[in-house]
Amino acid sequence: MTDVAGVPGYRQQLSRILKARIASLRHSSPGGIVDLRFTVDRDGHVIRSEVAATSGSEFTDRLALGIVPVGLKLPPLPPRAPIAELTVTVPVRLSSREAAMSDALRTYRAAVTQALLQRVRNLPHQMLTGGMLHIRFTIGRDGVVTRSDIARSSGDRAIDELGLRIVPVGLRLPPLPPGQPTALSLTQPLAFGLAPEGR
């Protein structure tokens, strides 16, 4: 029944909308393909959204879910469609933003990485317990961190908490380069090595 009464055209309309939403993303992502499954009610509201097949990257999967979040308003179902809701599964291809970064943005990211690594090096000796995690954070245009969480845990809660202290909300980093988006989301690996003897 979903192949009649305007549903094929509606699916094509959704595809165009999703492509536009993907193209508008301004995030750093390792890239990959995520199969998204979501359900639209008759009024066009997304009432369910989930990853049907993972890209293998938690960050990329979350980024894909943000393209079609629950509550998103899409066009209503065709009036003649004999269904109350429509479930769609679509492959979402996210290109690596590293390759698409401008020279200014790559230079900026390198500066942010160096600033964070310096914060790790400045830790007191007793806090360098060893381990690695990945921090996901968002930087506003003014360089202030507005969001920070664990993208990939080290497996040690104490080390994860230490990572969040390295990149806390409110941390001031260099402002974004001119002409860049109003915010930039990055994922940064942080390695905490045991301090050498005699430090």
Side-chain angles (χ1 to χ4, degrees):
M1 296 179 68
T2 57
D3 291 328
V4 297
V7 173
Y10 179 76
R11 288 175 179 270
Q12 293 175 3
Q13 185 180 15
L14 290 184
S15 178
R16 290 192 295 270
I17 291 172
L18 295 186
K19 287 180 180 178
R21 289 178 64 83
I22 292 170
S24 68
L25 287 175
R26 293 294 183 269
H27 291 266
S28 174
S29 166
I33 299 176
V34 184
D35 284 354
L36 281 184
R37 180 167 52 235
F38 61 96
T39 302
V40 182
D41 68 12
R42 179 163 288 282
D43 293 329
H45 293 101
V46 175
I47 57 176
R48 288 184 293 275
S49 182
E50 63 183 351
V51 172
T54 179
S55 66
S57 164
E58 180 184 358
F59 179 73
T60 300
D61 289 354
R62 289 192 182 189
L63 192 57
L65 281 173
I67 295 169
V68 193
V70 171
L72 177 67
K73 181 65 171 70
L74 294 169
L77 296 180
R80 296 183 295 112
I83 50 177
E85 59 185 44
L86 176 67
T87 297
V88 180
T89 300
V90 294
V92 174
R93 181 186 296 273
L94 297 175
S95 300
S96 171
R97 291 297 178 179
E98 290 295 328
M101 277 187 177
S102 66
D103 289 342
L105 206 52
R106 278 194 291 269
T107 299
Y108 176 79
R109 174 158 188 167
V112 168
T113 296
Q114 288 304 311
L116 298 182
L117 293 181
Q118 185 60 52
R119 287 176 61 82
V120 172
R121 287 191 289 267
N122 290 341
L123 287 173
H125 169 82
Q126 63 270 21
M127 298 181 70
L128 297 178
T129 56
M132 174 179 281
L133 72 153
H134 289 68
I135 293 284
R136 177 177 48 236
F137 57 100
T138 301
I139 307 171
R141 186 185 292 279
D142 58 359
V144 175
V145 174
T146 59
R147 175 174 174 257
S148 180
D149 59 21
I150 303 295
R152 183 182 302 169
S153 173
S154 65
D156 185 317
R157 180 177 177 181
I159 294 175
D160 289 353
E161 290 178 351
L162 187 56
L164 290 173
R165 291 177 61 179
I166 295 296
V167 196
V169 171
L171 175 66
R172 183 169 292 279
L173 294 166
L176 297 181
Q180 299 304 320
T182 56
L184 177 67
S185 291
L186 300 173
T187 299
Q188 175 69 46
L190 294 176
F192 299 93
L194 292 173
E197 294 182 4
R199 175 174 173 175

